[in-house]
Amino acid sequence: QITLKESGPTLVKPTQTLTLTCTFSGFSLSTSGVGVGWIRQPPGKALECLALIYWDDDKHYSPSLKSRLTITKDTSKNQVVLTMTNMDPVDTATYYCALGDYRYYYMDVWGKGTTVIVSS
Amino acid sequence: QTVVTQEPSFSVSPGGTVTLTCGLSSGSVSTSYYPSWYQQTPGQAPRTLIYSTDTRSSGVPDRFSGSILGNKAALTIMGAQADDESDYYCVLYMGSGSLVFGGGTKLTVL
């Protein structure tokens, strides 16, 4: 059974750096064709893909947020970490991680999400 | 930057059939974009319905089908049920590992 779980702070202050961790089980991020992505959803708005990391350490970032994002993986711990710098209230959202498939380019299994509020 | 377009809202009668579409602000969607579709109910994580244009994800009923219609990707729901009332998102592969979400379609069953 594949599961993913997001963890991190619920509340961050403006200008702070957000660090989110996706801990997964049931698959290995060293397997060819596998990736993990971070997707966010502001309240009442659409989903937005932030960053993807693949088994070969290839990374892709949203062009509009690229300067603020870093995605890394720790294969031994089955974790993917996303950092986002210079947080702003508009970054308030539910943040999801998901298992990505690099053969067919889609998100296969999703975590339940974690809510992040940016406020002073 | 190319935008992925979806109808903001749609309604269908119970038992009816509805087709939601996914296009590009510039150009046509083809199978090379590997369109995928996701269902999301309020307060829940998205659920994967369709990937690679027309392949149903595990456990998805065959009432849901994907295709290319004209210059867009399409999600067709047959025999609409009350619990199909959700937001539906498409995703297109834009190359170089990039996945872009559409703005979503809010489907009402009434």
mmCIF file of all heavy atoms in Angstrom, chain A residues 39 41 45-49 52 54 58 60 63-64 96 102-113, chain B residues 1 34 36 38 40 44-48 50-52 57 89 91 93 95-99 101-104:
data_model
loop_
_atom_site.group_PDB
_atom_site.id
_atom_site.type_symbol
_atom_site.label_atom_id
_atom_site.label_comp_id
_atom_site.label_asym_id
_atom_site.label_seq_id
_atom_site.Cartn_x
_atom_site.Cartn_y
_atom_site.Cartn_z
ATOM 1 N N ILE A 39 2.207 20.018 -4.522
ATOM 2 C CA ILE A 39 1.116 20.762 -5.142
ATOM 3 C C ILE A 39 0.422 21.547 -4.032
ATOM 4 O O ILE A 39 0.246 21.029 -2.924
ATOM 5 C CB ILE A 39 0.093 19.789 -5.794
ATOM 6 C CG1 ILE A 39 0.776 18.904 -6.818
ATOM 7 C CG2 ILE A 39 -1.068 20.536 -6.404
ATOM 8 C CD1 ILE A 39 1.179 17.526 -6.308
ATOM 9 N N GLN A 41 -2.876 24.413 -2.851
ATOM 10 C CA GLN A 41 -4.210 24.894 -3.189
ATOM 11 C C GLN A 41 -4.608 25.977 -2.194
ATOM 12 O O GLN A 41 -4.982 25.670 -1.054
ATOM 13 C CB GLN A 41 -5.221 23.751 -3.161
ATOM 14 C CG GLN A 41 -6.606 24.139 -3.624
ATOM 15 C CD GLN A 41 -7.517 22.944 -3.751
ATOM 16 O OE1 GLN A 41 -7.474 22.007 -2.942
ATOM 17 N NE2 GLN A 41 -8.350 22.942 -4.775
ATOM 18 N N LYS A 45 -9.327 28.132 -4.308
ATOM 19 C CA LYS A 45 -8.671 28.290 -5.606
ATOM 20 C C LYS A 45 -8.205 26.947 -6.169
ATOM 21 O O LYS A 45 -8.405 25.901 -5.569
ATOM 22 C CB LYS A 45 -7.507 29.270 -5.478
ATOM 23 C CG LYS A 45 -7.948 30.677 -5.112
ATOM 24 C CD LYS A 45 -6.809 31.672 -5.239
ATOM 25 C CE LYS A 45 -7.305 33.082 -4.948
ATOM 26 N NZ LYS A 45 -6.215 34.077 -5.094
ATOM 27 N N ALA A 46 -7.580 27.020 -7.324
ATOM 28 C CA ALA A 46 -7.189 25.810 -8.044
ATOM 29 C C ALA A 46 -5.893 25.220 -7.506
ATOM 30 O O ALA A 46 -5.115 25.873 -6.809
ATOM 31 C CB ALA A 46 -7.049 26.118 -9.529
ATOM 32 N N LEU A 47 -5.662 23.986 -7.888
ATOM 33 C CA LEU A 47 -4.414 23.315 -7.581
ATOM 34 C C LEU A 47 -3.285 23.899 -8.431
ATOM 35 O O LEU A 47 -3.497 24.319 -9.568
ATOM 36 C CB LEU A 47 -4.546 21.814 -7.881
ATOM 37 C CG LEU A 47 -5.576 21.061 -7.041
ATOM 38 C CD1 LEU A 47 -5.922 19.736 -7.710
ATOM 39 C CD2 LEU A 47 -5.066 20.822 -5.640
ATOM 40 N N GLU A 48 -2.089 23.898 -7.861
ATOM 41 C CA GLU A 48 -0.911 24.437 -8.549
ATOM 42 C C GLU A 48 0.281 23.535 -8.251
ATOM 43 O O GLU A 48 0.589 23.287 -7.085
ATOM 44 C CB GLU A 48 -0.613 25.858 -8.082
ATOM 45 C CG GLU A 48 0.638 26.479 -8.679
ATOM 46 C CD GLU A 48 0.977 27.836 -8.071
ATOM 47 O OE1 GLU A 48 0.477 28.169 -6.976
ATOM 48 O OE2 GLU A 48 1.757 28.576 -8.717
ATOM 49 N N CYS A 49 0.936 23.055 -9.292
ATOM 50 C CA CYS A 49 2.118 22.215 -9.107
ATOM 51 C C CYS A 49 3.314 23.102 -8.802
ATOM 52 O O CYS A 49 3.643 24.000 -9.579
ATOM 53 C CB CYS A 49 2.366 21.382 -10.353
ATOM 54 S SG CYS A 49 3.685 20.178 -10.152
ATOM 55 N N LEU A 52 8.703 19.164 -8.596
ATOM 56 C CA LEU A 52 8.758 17.721 -8.783
ATOM 57 C C LEU A 52 10.210 17.283 -8.679
ATOM 58 O O LEU A 52 11.105 17.978 -9.153
ATOM 59 C CB LEU A 52 8.228 17.332 -10.158
ATOM 60 C CG LEU A 52 6.761 17.621 -10.444
ATOM 61 C CD1 LEU A 52 6.540 17.826 -11.935
ATOM 62 C CD2 LEU A 52 5.909 16.466 -9.963
ATOM 63 N N TYR A 54 12.528 13.645 -9.358
ATOM 64 C CA TYR A 54 12.427 12.316 -9.936
ATOM 65 C C TYR A 54 13.532 11.404 -9.415
ATOM 66 O O TYR A 54 14.478 11.848 -8.774
ATOM 67 C CB TYR A 54 12.466 12.417 -11.458
ATOM 68 C CG TYR A 54 11.269 13.152 -12.013
ATOM 69 C CD1 TYR A 54 11.359 14.480 -12.409
ATOM 70 C CD2 TYR A 54 10.034 12.512 -12.122
ATOM 71 C CE1 TYR A 54 10.254 15.153 -12.909
ATOM 72 C CE2 TYR A 54 8.930 13.179 -12.622
ATOM 73 C CZ TYR A 54 9.039 14.498 -13.018
ATOM 74 O OH TYR A 54 7.940 15.155 -13.502
ATOM 75 N N ASP A 58 16.485 14.464 -11.122
ATOM 76 C CA ASP A 58 16.018 15.549 -11.971
ATOM 77 C C ASP A 58 14.943 16.322 -11.204
ATOM 78 O O ASP A 58 14.119 15.721 -10.515
ATOM 79 C CB ASP A 58 15.458 14.991 -13.273
ATOM 80 C CG ASP A 58 15.140 16.074 -14.281
ATOM 81 O OD1 ASP A 58 15.720 17.177 -14.190
ATOM 82 O OD2 ASP A 58 14.300 15.824 -15.171
ATOM 83 N N HIS A 60 12.076 19.746 -11.265
ATOM 84 C CA HIS A 60 11.376 20.766 -12.022
ATOM 85 C C HIS A 60 10.639 21.658 -11.050
ATOM 86 O O HIS A 60 10.048 21.184 -10.092
ATOM 87 C CB HIS A 60 10.388 20.171 -13.022
ATOM 88 C CG HIS A 60 9.615 21.232 -13.736
ATOM 89 N ND1 HIS A 60 10.131 21.933 -14.800
ATOM 90 C CD2 HIS A 60 8.417 21.774 -13.475
ATOM 91 C CE1 HIS A 60 9.255 22.854 -15.181
ATOM 92 N NE2 HIS A 60 8.208 22.768 -14.403
ATOM 93 N N PRO A 63 7.696 27.833 -12.873
ATOM 94 C CA PRO A 63 8.485 28.995 -13.317
ATOM 95 C C PRO A 63 8.247 30.243 -12.470
ATOM 96 O O PRO A 63 9.188 31.007 -12.217
ATOM 97 C CB PRO A 63 8.000 29.208 -14.759
ATOM 98 C CG PRO A 63 7.527 27.868 -15.196
ATOM 99 C CD PRO A 63 6.930 27.236 -13.970
ATOM 100 N N SER A 64 7.009 30.432 -12.022
ATOM 101 C CA SER A 64 6.695 31.653 -11.280
ATOM 102 C C SER A 64 7.240 31.638 -9.856
ATOM 103 O O SER A 64 7.335 32.679 -9.216
ATOM 104 C CB SER A 64 5.186 31.870 -11.251
ATOM 105 O OG SER A 64 4.542 30.806 -10.584
ATOM 106 N N TYR A 96 0.014 19.691 -0.714
ATOM 107 C CA TYR A 96 -0.052 18.245 -0.899
ATOM 108 C C TYR A 96 1.260 17.730 -1.492
ATOM 109 O O TYR A 96 1.883 18.410 -2.318
ATOM 110 C CB TYR A 96 -1.156 17.868 -1.888
ATOM 111 C CG TYR A 96 -2.556 18.244 -1.506
ATOM 112 C CD1 TYR A 96 -3.154 19.407 -1.982
ATOM 113 C CD2 TYR A 96 -3.325 17.402 -0.692
ATOM 114 C CE1 TYR A 96 -4.451 19.732 -1.647
ATOM 115 C CE2 TYR A 96 -4.632 17.729 -0.359
ATOM 116 C CZ TYR A 96 -5.184 18.894 -0.838
ATOM 117 O OH TYR A 96 -6.476 19.212 -0.507
ATOM 118 N N TYR A 102 6.754 9.136 -14.007
ATOM 119 C CA TYR A 102 7.484 9.809 -15.071
ATOM 120 C C TYR A 102 7.318 9.126 -16.413
ATOM 121 O O TYR A 102 7.764 9.619 -17.421
ATOM 122 C CB TYR A 102 8.969 9.876 -14.695
ATOM 123 C CG TYR A 102 9.773 10.861 -15.517
ATOM 124 C CD1 TYR A 102 9.501 12.212 -15.446
ATOM 125 C CD2 TYR A 102 10.810 10.424 -16.342
ATOM 126 C CE1 TYR A 102 10.231 13.123 -16.185
ATOM 127 C CE2 TYR A 102 11.549 11.328 -17.077
ATOM 128 C CZ TYR A 102 11.265 12.677 -16.997
ATOM 129 O OH TYR A 102 11.994 13.580 -17.714
ATOM 130 N N ARG A 103 6.642 7.961 -16.421
ATOM 131 C CA ARG A 103 6.380 7.289 -17.694
ATOM 132 C C ARG A 103 5.159 7.917 -18.367
ATOM 133 O O ARG A 103 5.147 8.120 -19.584
ATOM 134 C CB ARG A 103 6.123 5.800 -17.462
ATOM 135 C CG ARG A 103 7.301 5.060 -16.861
ATOM 136 C CD ARG A 103 6.847 3.699 -16.347
ATOM 137 N NE ARG A 103 5.835 3.847 -15.317
ATOM 138 C CZ ARG A 103 5.079 2.859 -14.853
ATOM 139 N NH1 ARG A 103 5.226 1.642 -15.332
ATOM 140 N NH2 ARG A 103 4.199 3.070 -13.902
ATOM 141 N N TYR A 104 4.153 8.209 -17.554
ATOM 142 C CA TYR A 104 2.916 8.755 -18.097
ATOM 143 C C TYR A 104 2.595 10.159 -17.576
ATOM 144 O O TYR A 104 1.522 10.684 -17.824
ATOM 145 C CB TYR A 104 1.747 7.811 -17.797
ATOM 146 C CG TYR A 104 1.949 6.444 -18.390
ATOM 147 C CD1 TYR A 104 2.170 5.331 -17.580
ATOM 148 C CD2 TYR A 104 1.939 6.266 -19.761
ATOM 149 C CE1 TYR A 104 2.372 4.076 -18.140
ATOM 150 C CE2 TYR A 104 2.139 5.010 -20.321
ATOM 151 C CZ TYR A 104 2.360 3.935 -19.502
ATOM 152 O OH TYR A 104 2.550 2.690 -20.051
ATOM 153 N N TYR A 105 3.541 10.736 -16.811
ATOM 154 C CA TYR A 105 3.471 12.147 -16.429
ATOM 155 C C TYR A 105 2.174 12.511 -15.729
ATOM 156 O O TYR A 105 1.400 13.354 -16.195
ATOM 157 C CB TYR A 105 3.682 13.028 -17.668
ATOM 158 C CG TYR A 105 4.954 12.713 -18.393
ATOM 159 C CD1 TYR A 105 4.937 12.057 -19.615
ATOM 160 C CD2 TYR A 105 6.193 13.035 -17.844
ATOM 161 C CE1 TYR A 105 6.115 11.741 -20.277
ATOM 162 C CE2 TYR A 105 7.378 12.720 -18.501
ATOM 163 C CZ TYR A 105 7.325 12.079 -19.720
ATOM 164 O OH TYR A 105 8.476 11.773 -20.367
ATOM 165 N N TYR A 106 1.933 11.873 -14.585
ATOM 166 C CA TYR A 106 0.749 12.215 -13.807
ATOM 167 C C TYR A 106 1.025 11.936 -12.338
ATOM 168 O O TYR A 106 2.040 11.361 -11.976
ATOM 169 C CB TYR A 106 -0.472 11.408 -14.272
ATOM 170 C CG TYR A 106 -0.484 9.955 -13.847
ATOM 171 C CD1 TYR A 106 -1.331 9.515 -12.841
ATOM 172 C CD2 TYR A 106 0.348 9.025 -14.472
ATOM 173 C CE1 TYR A 106 -1.341 8.179 -12.456
ATOM 174 C CE2 TYR A 106 0.339 7.696 -14.079
ATOM 175 C CZ TYR A 106 -0.504 7.280 -13.085
ATOM 176 O OH TYR A 106 -0.515 5.960 -12.707
ATOM 177 N N MET A 107 0.116 12.421 -11.504
ATOM 178 C CA MET A 107 0.177 12.180 -10.065
ATOM 179 C C MET A 107 -0.700 10.984 -9.734
ATOM 180 O O MET A 107 -1.900 11.006 -10.009
ATOM 181 C CB MET A 107 -0.281 13.413 -9.283
ATOM 182 C CG MET A 107 0.592 14.618 -9.504
ATOM 183 S SD MET A 107 2.278 14.292 -8.965
ATOM 184 C CE MET A 107 3.032 15.853 -9.330
ATOM 185 N N ASP A 108 -0.125 9.964 -9.139
ATOM 186 C CA ASP A 108 -0.817 8.685 -8.957
ATOM 187 C C ASP A 108 -1.524 8.613 -7.608
ATOM 188 O O ASP A 108 -2.716 8.352 -7.544
ATOM 189 C CB ASP A 108 0.197 7.544 -9.096
ATOM 190 C CG ASP A 108 -0.451 6.186 -9.142
ATOM 191 O OD1 ASP A 108 -1.698 6.094 -9.139
ATOM 192 O OD2 ASP A 108 0.284 5.181 -9.185
ATOM 193 N N VAL A 109 -0.779 8.831 -6.536
ATOM 194 C CA VAL A 109 -1.334 8.727 -5.184
ATOM 195 C C VAL A 109 -1.013 10.019 -4.435
ATOM 196 O O VAL A 109 0.110 10.522 -4.535
ATOM 197 C CB VAL A 109 -0.741 7.513 -4.432
ATOM 198 C CG1 VAL A 109 -1.349 7.402 -3.040
ATOM 199 C CG2 VAL A 109 -0.979 6.229 -5.222
ATOM 200 N N TRP A 110 -1.994 10.506 -3.706
ATOM 201 C CA TRP A 110 -1.873 11.788 -3.024
ATOM 202 C C TRP A 110 -1.848 11.626 -1.507
ATOM 203 O O TRP A 110 -2.513 10.737 -0.957
ATOM 204 C CB TRP A 110 -3.062 12.672 -3.386
ATOM 205 C CG TRP A 110 -3.128 13.050 -4.823
ATOM 206 C CD1 TRP A 110 -3.406 12.229 -5.877
ATOM 207 C CD2 TRP A 110 -2.929 14.349 -5.369
ATOM 208 N NE1 TRP A 110 -3.389 12.952 -7.051
ATOM 209 C CE2 TRP A 110 -3.106 14.252 -6.766
ATOM 210 C CE3 TRP A 110 -2.639 15.598 -4.813
ATOM 211 C CZ2 TRP A 110 -2.973 15.357 -7.609
ATOM 212 C CZ3 TRP A 110 -2.509 16.691 -5.650
ATOM 213 C CH2 TRP A 110 -2.678 16.563 -7.034
ATOM 214 N N GLY A 111 -1.121 12.523 -0.848
ATOM 215 C CA GLY A 111 -1.241 12.636 0.597
ATOM 216 C C GLY A 111 -2.495 13.414 0.947
ATOM 217 O O GLY A 111 -3.182 13.948 0.062
ATOM 218 N N LYS A 112 -2.817 13.484 2.234
ATOM 219 C CA LYS A 112 -4.024 14.177 2.671
ATOM 220 C C LYS A 112 -3.861 15.688 2.693
ATOM 221 O O LYS A 112 -4.853 16.418 2.738
ATOM 222 C CB LYS A 112 -4.435 13.682 4.063
ATOM 223 C CG LYS A 112 -4.855 12.213 4.089
ATOM 224 C CD LYS A 112 -5.363 11.815 5.458
ATOM 225 C CE LYS A 112 -5.650 10.330 5.554
ATOM 226 N NZ LYS A 112 -6.629 9.871 4.565
ATOM 227 N N GLY A 113 -2.627 16.158 2.669
ATOM 228 C CA GLY A 113 -2.377 17.590 2.656
ATOM 229 C C GLY A 113 -2.135 18.149 4.044
ATOM 230 O O GLY A 113 -2.558 17.578 5.052
ATOM 231 N N GLN B 1 3.460 32.416 -20.985
ATOM 232 C CA GLN B 1 3.304 31.038 -20.517
ATOM 233 C C GLN B 1 1.937 30.499 -20.936
ATOM 234 O O GLN B 1 0.922 31.168 -20.791
ATOM 235 C CB GLN B 1 3.430 30.983 -19.003
ATOM 236 C CG GLN B 1 3.384 29.572 -18.442
ATOM 237 C CD GLN B 1 3.536 29.548 -16.924
ATOM 238 O OE1 GLN B 1 3.806 30.568 -16.289
ATOM 239 N NE2 GLN B 1 3.343 28.379 -16.341
ATOM 240 N N TYR B 34 -0.085 13.954 -22.531
ATOM 241 C CA TYR B 34 -0.420 12.987 -21.476
ATOM 242 C C TYR B 34 -1.487 13.535 -20.517
ATOM 243 O O TYR B 34 -1.296 13.553 -19.298
ATOM 244 C CB TYR B 34 0.825 12.592 -20.680
ATOM 245 C CG TYR B 34 1.830 11.822 -21.494
ATOM 246 C CD1 TYR B 34 2.809 12.470 -22.251
ATOM 247 C CD2 TYR B 34 1.799 10.430 -21.518
ATOM 248 C CE1 TYR B 34 3.721 11.766 -23.018
ATOM 249 C CE2 TYR B 34 2.713 9.709 -22.276
ATOM 250 C CZ TYR B 34 3.667 10.380 -23.018
ATOM 251 O OH TYR B 34 4.562 9.678 -23.763
ATOM 252 N N SER B 36 -4.167 14.141 -17.816
ATOM 253 C CA SER B 36 -4.681 13.372 -16.690
ATOM 254 C C SER B 36 -5.786 14.176 -16.019
ATOM 255 O O SER B 36 -5.854 15.396 -16.152
ATOM 256 C CB SER B 36 -3.562 13.021 -15.701
ATOM 257 O OG SER B 36 -2.842 14.164 -15.286
ATOM 258 N N TYR B 38 -8.360 14.626 -12.380
ATOM 259 C CA TYR B 38 -8.444 14.426 -10.943
ATOM 260 C C TYR B 38 -9.783 14.943 -10.432
ATOM 261 O O TYR B 38 -10.276 15.967 -10.908
ATOM 262 C CB TYR B 38 -7.291 15.154 -10.238
ATOM 263 C CG TYR B 38 -5.948 14.749 -10.811
ATOM 264 C CD1 TYR B 38 -5.452 15.351 -11.962
ATOM 265 C CD2 TYR B 38 -5.210 13.710 -10.252
ATOM 266 C CE1 TYR B 38 -4.262 14.953 -12.532
ATOM 267 C CE2 TYR B 38 -4.015 13.298 -10.813
ATOM 268 C CZ TYR B 38 -3.552 13.927 -11.954
ATOM 269 O OH TYR B 38 -2.372 13.521 -12.521
ATOM 270 N N GLN B 40 -11.905 16.187 -6.993
ATOM 271 C CA GLN B 40 -11.692 16.668 -5.641
ATOM 272 C C GLN B 40 -13.002 17.144 -5.034
ATOM 273 O O GLN B 40 -13.675 18.010 -5.590
ATOM 274 C CB GLN B 40 -10.677 17.806 -5.605
ATOM 275 C CG GLN B 40 -10.299 18.236 -4.199
ATOM 276 C CD GLN B 40 -9.341 19.412 -4.165
ATOM 277 O OE1 GLN B 40 -9.413 20.313 -4.999
ATOM 278 N NE2 GLN B 40 -8.428 19.422 -3.189
ATOM 279 N N GLN B 44 -11.152 17.522 0.811
ATOM 280 C CA GLN B 44 -10.453 16.256 0.560
ATOM 281 C C GLN B 44 -9.296 16.455 -0.402
ATOM 282 O O GLN B 44 -9.254 17.403 -1.182
ATOM 283 C CB GLN B 44 -11.417 15.230 -0.022
ATOM 284 C CG GLN B 44 -12.596 14.896 0.874
ATOM 285 C CD GLN B 44 -12.172 14.274 2.183
ATOM 286 O OE1 GLN B 44 -11.366 13.351 2.222
ATOM 287 N NE2 GLN B 44 -12.705 14.786 3.284
ATOM 288 N N ALA B 45 -8.358 15.519 -0.352
ATOM 289 C CA ALA B 45 -7.278 15.501 -1.330
ATOM 290 C C ALA B 45 -7.823 15.076 -2.696
ATOM 291 O O ALA B 45 -8.841 14.378 -2.778
ATOM 292 C CB ALA B 45 -6.181 14.542 -0.888
ATOM 293 N N PRO B 46 -7.146 15.488 -3.755
ATOM 294 C CA PRO B 46 -7.573 15.026 -5.089
ATOM 295 C C PRO B 46 -7.460 13.513 -5.205
ATOM 296 O O PRO B 46 -6.666 12.865 -4.526
ATOM 297 C CB PRO B 46 -6.584 15.720 -6.027
ATOM 298 C CG PRO B 46 -6.092 16.901 -5.263
ATOM 299 C CD PRO B 46 -6.056 16.464 -3.841
ATOM 300 N N ARG B 47 -8.260 12.975 -6.116
ATOM 301 C CA ARG B 47 -8.252 11.547 -6.440
ATOM 302 C C ARG B 47 -7.976 11.429 -7.926
ATOM 303 O O ARG B 47 -8.613 12.121 -8.733
ATOM 304 C CB ARG B 47 -9.605 10.942 -6.108
ATOM 305 C CG ARG B 47 -9.861 9.529 -6.647
ATOM 306 C CD ARG B 47 -11.345 9.217 -6.633
ATOM 307 N NE ARG B 47 -11.671 7.890 -7.123
ATOM 308 C CZ ARG B 47 -12.876 7.497 -7.509
ATOM 309 N NH1 ARG B 47 -13.888 8.361 -7.452
ATOM 310 N NH2 ARG B 47 -13.095 6.268 -7.928
ATOM 311 N N THR B 48 -7.054 10.567 -8.283
ATOM 312 C CA THR B 48 -6.694 10.401 -9.694
ATOM 313 C C THR B 48 -7.746 9.559 -10.405
ATOM 314 O O THR B 48 -8.073 8.462 -9.972
ATOM 315 C CB THR B 48 -5.318 9.749 -9.822
ATOM 316 O OG1 THR B 48 -4.354 10.521 -9.087
ATOM 317 C CG2 THR B 48 -4.892 9.673 -11.273
ATOM 318 N N ILE B 50 -8.046 9.562 -14.344
ATOM 319 C CA ILE B 50 -7.598 9.183 -15.689
ATOM 320 C C ILE B 50 -6.160 9.658 -15.869
ATOM 321 O O ILE B 50 -5.809 10.765 -15.432
ATOM 322 C CB ILE B 50 -8.460 9.855 -16.771
ATOM 323 C CG1 ILE B 50 -9.936 9.462 -16.641
ATOM 324 C CG2 ILE B 50 -7.929 9.551 -18.184
ATOM 325 C CD1 ILE B 50 -10.271 8.062 -17.090
ATOM 326 N N TYR B 51 -5.333 8.851 -16.537
ATOM 327 C CA TYR B 51 -4.011 9.301 -16.915
ATOM 328 C C TYR B 51 -3.697 8.865 -18.343
ATOM 329 O O TYR B 51 -4.392 8.000 -18.906
ATOM 330 C CB TYR B 51 -2.934 8.808 -15.933
ATOM 331 C CG TYR B 51 -2.751 7.303 -15.876
ATOM 332 C CD1 TYR B 51 -1.807 6.667 -16.678
ATOM 333 C CD2 TYR B 51 -3.512 6.525 -15.010
ATOM 334 C CE1 TYR B 51 -1.626 5.294 -16.618
ATOM 335 C CE2 TYR B 51 -3.338 5.153 -14.944
ATOM 336 C CZ TYR B 51 -2.393 4.555 -15.745
ATOM 337 O OH TYR B 51 -2.225 3.186 -15.691
ATOM 338 N N SER B 52 -2.690 9.498 -18.922
ATOM 339 C CA SER B 52 -2.286 9.202 -20.299
ATOM 340 C C SER B 52 -3.500 9.189 -21.240
ATOM 341 O O SER B 52 -3.727 8.207 -21.973
ATOM 342 C CB SER B 52 -1.538 7.870 -20.349
ATOM 343 O OG SER B 52 -0.915 7.690 -21.602
ATOM 344 N N SER B 57 -7.484 5.087 -13.640
ATOM 345 C CA SER B 57 -6.697 4.707 -12.479
ATOM 346 C C SER B 57 -7.404 3.571 -11.755
ATOM 347 O O SER B 57 -8.610 3.335 -11.932
ATOM 348 C CB SER B 57 -6.542 5.914 -11.556
ATOM 349 O OG SER B 57 -5.602 5.657 -10.547
ATOM 350 N N TYR B 89 -10.123 18.527 -12.126
ATOM 351 C CA TYR B 89 -8.940 19.211 -12.633
ATOM 352 C C TYR B 89 -8.264 18.353 -13.697
ATOM 353 O O TYR B 89 -8.151 17.135 -13.553
ATOM 354 C CB TYR B 89 -7.931 19.467 -11.517
ATOM 355 C CG TYR B 89 -8.389 20.475 -10.491
ATOM 356 C CD1 TYR B 89 -9.078 20.075 -9.352
ATOM 357 C CD2 TYR B 89 -8.139 21.832 -10.670
ATOM 358 C CE1 TYR B 89 -9.509 20.998 -8.413
ATOM 359 C CE2 TYR B 89 -8.563 22.767 -9.733
ATOM 360 C CZ TYR B 89 -9.243 22.338 -8.619
ATOM 361 O OH TYR B 89 -9.669 23.258 -7.678
ATOM 362 N N VAL B 91 -4.584 17.964 -15.901
ATOM 363 C CA VAL B 91 -3.157 18.293 -15.866
ATOM 364 C C VAL B 91 -2.561 17.914 -17.205
ATOM 365 O O VAL B 91 -2.855 16.842 -17.748
ATOM 366 C CB VAL B 91 -2.435 17.527 -14.736
ATOM 367 C CG1 VAL B 91 -0.926 17.656 -14.876
ATOM 368 C CG2 VAL B 91 -2.889 18.046 -13.377
ATOM 369 N N TYR B 93 1.141 17.605 -19.454
ATOM 370 C CA TYR B 93 2.601 17.543 -19.412
ATOM 371 C C TYR B 93 3.141 18.511 -20.463
ATOM 372 O O TYR B 93 2.849 18.381 -21.646
ATOM 373 C CB TYR B 93 3.076 16.130 -19.699
ATOM 374 C CG TYR B 93 4.577 15.992 -19.809
ATOM 375 C CD1 TYR B 93 5.393 16.261 -18.723
ATOM 376 C CD2 TYR B 93 5.180 15.603 -21.007
ATOM 377 C CE1 TYR B 93 6.771 16.138 -18.818
ATOM 378 C CE2 TYR B 93 6.548 15.475 -21.108
ATOM 379 C CZ TYR B 93 7.345 15.747 -20.011
ATOM 380 O OH TYR B 93 8.702 15.633 -20.107
ATOM 381 N N GLY B 95 6.420 19.112 -21.023
ATOM 382 C CA GLY B 95 7.794 18.827 -21.398
ATOM 383 C C GLY B 95 8.769 19.163 -20.279
ATOM 384 O O GLY B 95 8.444 19.920 -19.366
ATOM 385 N N SER B 96 9.943 18.572 -20.346
ATOM 386 C CA SER B 96 11.005 18.810 -19.357
ATOM 387 C C SER B 96 10.528 18.590 -17.931
ATOM 388 O O SER B 96 10.956 19.297 -17.010
ATOM 389 C CB SER B 96 11.556 20.242 -19.503
ATOM 390 O OG SER B 96 12.059 20.453 -20.807
ATOM 391 N N GLY B 97 9.659 17.624 -17.735
ATOM 392 C CA GLY B 97 9.197 17.281 -16.397
ATOM 393 C C GLY B 97 8.141 18.188 -15.833
ATOM 394 O O GLY B 97 7.765 18.058 -14.666
ATOM 395 N N SER B 98 7.632 19.110 -16.613
ATOM 396 C CA SER B 98 6.688 20.115 -16.126
ATOM 397 C C SER B 98 5.234 19.655 -16.259
ATOM 398 O O SER B 98 4.794 19.259 -17.335
ATOM 399 C CB SER B 98 6.877 21.411 -16.910
ATOM 400 O OG SER B 98 5.823 22.321 -16.646
ATOM 401 N N LEU B 99 4.498 19.721 -15.161
ATOM 402 C CA LEU B 99 3.066 19.423 -15.147
ATOM 403 C C LEU B 99 2.312 20.687 -14.785
ATOM 404 O O LEU B 99 2.644 21.349 -13.805
ATOM 405 C CB LEU B 99 2.753 18.326 -14.129
ATOM 406 C CG LEU B 99 3.400 16.965 -14.358
ATOM 407 C CD1 LEU B 99 3.032 16.013 -13.219
ATOM 408 C CD2 LEU B 99 2.965 16.380 -15.693
ATOM 409 N N PHE B 101 -1.549 22.396 -14.071
ATOM 410 C CA PHE B 101 -2.960 22.181 -13.777
ATOM 411 C C PHE B 101 -3.826 23.198 -14.502
ATOM 412 O O PHE B 101 -3.449 24.365 -14.657
ATOM 413 C CB PHE B 101 -3.222 22.326 -12.272
ATOM 414 C CG PHE B 101 -2.815 21.146 -11.452
ATOM 415 C CD1 PHE B 101 -1.499 20.980 -11.049
ATOM 416 C CD2 PHE B 101 -3.750 20.184 -11.082
ATOM 417 C CE1 PHE B 101 -1.118 19.888 -10.284
ATOM 418 C CE2 PHE B 101 -3.384 19.095 -10.321
ATOM 419 C CZ PHE B 101 -2.061 18.938 -9.922
ATOM 420 N N GLY B 102 -5.018 22.752 -14.890
ATOM 421 C CA GLY B 102 -6.038 23.672 -15.326
ATOM 422 C C GLY B 102 -6.696 24.322 -14.129
ATOM 423 O O GLY B 102 -6.423 23.966 -12.980
ATOM 424 N N GLY B 103 -7.572 25.274 -14.394
ATOM 425 C CA GLY B 103 -8.224 26.007 -13.324
ATOM 426 C C GLY B 103 -9.345 25.254 -12.631
ATOM 427 O O GLY B 103 -9.891 25.738 -11.628
ATOM 428 N N GLY B 104 -9.700 24.094 -13.155
ATOM 429 C CA GLY B 104 -10.725 23.272 -12.531
ATOM 430 C C GLY B 104 -12.121 23.586 -13.014
ATOM 431 O O GLY B 104 -12.425 24.720 -13.411
#
